[in-house]
């Protein structure tokens, strides 16, 4: 069903008005966002979201070649949804880990002969987390591999580091930028609605602080992403409020690249009694996000969390980015019961996954410059070893 078909159909007037807005590239209101979540048909949502996706990006589906470093899983905070917080947050616990600087540099060096373009550094908030220490760490990483894009530290880590170092967010972010940090990941946003935040992660940075840190990062010249943890105790109005606060900040700074809805997974945490939402709800959430977040250039599905097949489906519901060929060093999601327990995918697998749903796989750098168009590249079939 195309948007033109919808406009000429006998669908309820309120949905026709929203379709008209999408067709005319007009913004929808918060009330309309809630209405879409509550009442819209999945096919309708898919048609609108796909219309926007194709207007912005055609069939292009971006991915990048990145790897993760999680320096520690020890964390001073106690987010109820986090699989670190219950099991692993104290030093000395069986599964607690802390990487020293040399281990981090060795990890960077281990990718020497690989075509990765980005390292994503994020982890628990260690009580000793020092701003200058991490600034120096980034500087040394850049010495080892100057071209590597360093996407590091959620607003939660940054708020803690700046508070401990007794500097303003601007001073802290400027210091990190001067030492080589290129951008911020989108984590720690969760749900901005204060009542929900109080229930699920009351002791870490609050919503205003999260938004202020991203605003300041944009002002000092570091772009960032934004996430939304959905599918737990939040209401549809809370999701729309979350997206609206981001849309408002984006109007002001234009510094966000990508919006990443993250599906709540209920393994090994203090909210495990809460069930997970269905794949249909995932698709609806991506679609409404694409329709509502009109000023966000990109919508990303983080495939290790939702799995490869759902990630493929999302490409028809507004998504135009499926993150990267991540190696298996990220544990926060697999520990929470994410779909992919060992989240690595080769370029070939990722390209084929995109092509299977008739989309165009394009490798990008961290700020969406095209590195390589894979749509015409045919990988050789895997070699079958002769039996001895
Ligand atoms: O903020 C923690 C989430 C986030 C669970 O910017 C959980 O490119 C679901 O932000 N179920 C961190 N989610 C990860 C993140 C991210 C990931 C990929 C790419 C980018 C990017 C950013 O992980 C946390 C939290 O919302 N998380 N526990 C859980 N049980
Ligand atoms: Fe710590 Fe982040 Fe887990 Fe919260 S989500 S407990 S801040 S590691």
């Amino acid at each position: 069903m195309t948007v033109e078909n919808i406009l000429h159909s006998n669908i309820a007037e309120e949905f026709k008005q929203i379709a008209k807005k999408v067709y005319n590239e007009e913004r929808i209101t918060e009330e309309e966002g809630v209405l879409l979540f509550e009442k819209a048909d999945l096919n309708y949502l898919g048609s609108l979201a796909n219309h926007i996706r194709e207007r912005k990006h055609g069939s292009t589906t971006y991915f990048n070649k990145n790897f993760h470093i999680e320096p520690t899983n020890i964390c001073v905070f106690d987010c109820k949804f986090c699989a670190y917080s219950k099991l692993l947050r104290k030093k000395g616990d069986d599964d607690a880990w802390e990487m020293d600087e040399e281990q981090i540099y060795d990890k960077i060096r281990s990718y020497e002969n690989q075509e990765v373009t980005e390292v994503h550094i994020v982890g628990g908030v260690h009580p000793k987390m020092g701003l200058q220490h991490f600034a120096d760490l980034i500087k040394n990483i850049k010495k080892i591999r100057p071209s590597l894009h360093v996407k590091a530290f959620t607003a939660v880590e940054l708020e803690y580091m700046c508070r401990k170092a007794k500097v303003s967010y601007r001073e802290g972010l400027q210091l990190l930028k001067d030492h080589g940090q290129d951008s911020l990941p989108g984590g720690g946003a969760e749900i901005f609605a204060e009542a929900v935040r109080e229930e699920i992660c009351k002791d870490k940075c609050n919503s205003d602080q999260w938004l202020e840190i991203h605003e300041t990062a944009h002002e000092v010249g570091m772009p960032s992403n934004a996430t939304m943890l959905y599918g737990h105790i939040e209401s549809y109005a809370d999701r729309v409020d979350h997206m609206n606060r981001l849309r408002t900040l984006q109007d002001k700074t234009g510094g966000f690249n990508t919006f990443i809805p993250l599906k709540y997974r209920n393994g090994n945490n203090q909210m495990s009694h809460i069930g997970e939402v269905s794949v249909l709800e995932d698709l609806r959430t991506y679609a409404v996000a694409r329709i509502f977040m009109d000023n966000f250039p990109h919508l990303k599905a983080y495939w290790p969390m939702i799995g490869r097949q759902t990630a493929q489906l999302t490409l028809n519901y507004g998504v135009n980015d499926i993150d990267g060929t991540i190696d298996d060093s990220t544990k926060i999601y697999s520990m929470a019961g994410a779909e992919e327990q060992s989240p690595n995918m080769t370029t070939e697998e990722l390209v084929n996954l995109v092509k299977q749903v008739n989309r165009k796989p394009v490798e990008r750098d961290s700020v969406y410059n095209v590195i390589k168009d894979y749509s015409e590249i045919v990988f050789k079939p895997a070699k079958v070893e002769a039996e001895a």
Side-chain angles (χ1 to χ4, degrees):
M1 189 170 43
T2 64
V3 177
E4 284 90 344
N5 293 147
I6 294 172
L7 292 174
H8 295 108
S9 70
N10 55 4
I11 194 167
E13 193 51 34
E14 52 195 0
F15 291 117
K16 205 177 267 187
Q17 284 310 320
I18 295 176
K20 211 179 266 176
K21 282 189 171 181
V22 167
Y23 193 73
N24 293 330
E25 300 188 42
E26 289 166 21
R27 177 166 282 190
I28 69 163
T29 64
E30 280 187 85
E31 291 70 29
E32 287 168 331
V34 175
L35 177 75
L36 290 180
F37 270 124
E38 283 177 346
K39 301 219 173 109
D41 172 85
L42 179 65
N43 288 332
Y44 165 90
L45 289 175
S47 301
L48 264 52
N50 195 46
H51 180 86
I52 299 167
R53 182 240 206 264
E54 295 196 345
R55 187 167 63 208
K56 284 182 185 286
H57 306 289
S59 261
T60 297
T61 301
Y62 293 105
F63 66 96
N64 75 344
K65 294 186 182 170
N66 64 2
F67 63 103
H68 285 230
I69 295 182
E70 288 179 26
T72 184
N73 63 348
I74 294 169
C75 188
V76 297
F77 297 124
D78 187 23
C79 305
K80 305 295 177 226
F81 52 81
C82 178
Y84 282 1
S85 68
K86 182 182 159 214
L87 297 177
L88 301 168
R89 62 190 288 256
K90 298 219 169 53
K91 192 174 175 158
D93 283 355
D94 283 352
D95 296 318
W97 77 81
E98 270 176 273
M99 289 171 83
D100 64 28
E101 284 164 56
E102 278 314 314
Q103 286 171 309
I104 292 177
Y105 302 144
D106 284 348
K107 177 103 186 171
I108 301 285
R109 287 189 202 101
S110 71
Y111 286 90
E112 201 172 27
N113 297 317
Q114 296 188 39
E115 287 173 344
V116 289
T117 60
E118 175 187 281
V119 59
H120 180 165
I121 306 175
V122 69
V125 181
H126 193 283
K128 290 202 194 122
M129 197 158 196
L131 178 66
Q132 189 62 52
H133 168 78
F134 279 112
D136 292 339
L137 189 94
I138 289 175
K139 192 170 184 180
N140 291 333
I141 290 174
K142 283 284 173 125
K143 274 190 201 148
I144 297 170
R145 192 155 175 175
S147 64
L148 199 62
H149 179 106
V150 177
K151 179 171 80 179
F153 312 126
T154 65
V156 175
E157 293 165 286
L158 291 163
E159 186 279 327
Y160 185 82
M161 279 192 239
C162 292
R163 182 155 40 99
K164 267 201 82 191
K166 298 191 173 47
V167 298
S168 66
Y169 300 147
R170 186 173 300 274
E171 288 165 325
L173 287 161
Q174 189 66 57
L175 181 85
L176 290 165
K177 183 169 190 288
D178 292 344
H179 282 70
Q181 180 168 337
D182 296 292
S183 67
L184 272 60
E190 322 313 354
I191 281 283
F192 292 140
E194 278 70 17
V196 175
R197 212 169 174 86
E198 177 70 19
E199 285 285 315
I200 66 172
C201 55
K202 66 174 172 208
D203 55 358
K204 72 180 179 190
C205 89
N206 67 31
S207 307
D208 288 343
Q209 289 169 327
W210 192 99
L211 290 161
E212 191 184 337
I213 287 169
H214 281 257
E215 180 172 355
T216 312
H218 300 167
E219 283 167 4
V220 304
M222 285 194 282
S224 70
N225 294 334
T227 56
M228 172 176 76
L229 184 71
Y230 70 91
H232 42 94
I233 59 165
E234 88 290 0
S235 66
Y236 289 141
D238 293 332
R239 287 187 204 172
V240 174
D241 164 71
H242 186 92
M243 294 193 286
N244 194 46
R245 294 194 209 190
L246 291 169
R247 190 170 80 171
T248 305
L249 179 55
Q250 178 74 334
D251 278 343
K252 203 167 159 190
T253 66
F256 287 114
N257 276 329
T258 314
F259 183 55
I260 314 162
L262 293 172
K263 177 194 184 111
Y264 164 69
R265 306 305 308 243
N266 70 355
N268 295 317
N269 64 40
Q270 297 171 67
M271 296 173 16
S272 289
H273 54 283
I274 298 173
E276 293 178 359
V277 297
S278 66
V279 171
L280 294 186
E281 185 63 20
D282 295 331
L283 299 178
R284 297 174 66 81
T285 307
Y286 283 104
V288 178
R290 184 60 287 172
I291 298 164
F292 193 85
M293 308 289 269
D294 60 344
N295 55 2
F296 270 63
H298 305 284
L299 181 67
K300 186 195 282 191
Y302 187 57
W303 63 263
M305 201 54 123
I306 52 171
R308 294 161 206 229
Q309 286 177 356
T310 306
Q312 275 182 318
L313 290 174
T314 64
L315 300 183
N316 285 336
Y317 291 83
V319 168
N320 68 294
D321 186 329
I322 48 169
D323 207 87
T325 51
I326 304 152
D327 83 335
D328 65 357
S329 51
T330 176
K331 301 205 177 58
I332 194 166
Y333 326 104
S334 53
M335 284 168 55
E339 222 50 53
E340 306 278 342
Q341 288 299 308
S342 176
N344 46 25
M345 217 190 310
T346 62
T347 305
E348 180 174 350
E349 285 171 324
L350 207 136
V351 163
N352 288 340
L353 186 126
V354 173
K355 283 186 180 170
Q356 275 166 8
V357 286
N358 294 322
R359 297 292 185 182
K360 182 175 145 188
V362 172
E363 184 192 343
R364 61 164 173 86
D365 68 10
S366 302
V367 290
Y368 291 86
N369 295 307
V370 171
I371 293 185
K372 189 168 175 177
D373 181 345
Y374 278 83
S375 49
E376 302 299 329
I377 295 174
V378 179
F379 287 98
K380 287 197 195 108
K383 210 167 138 192
V384 182
E385 298 292 336
E387 277 183 59

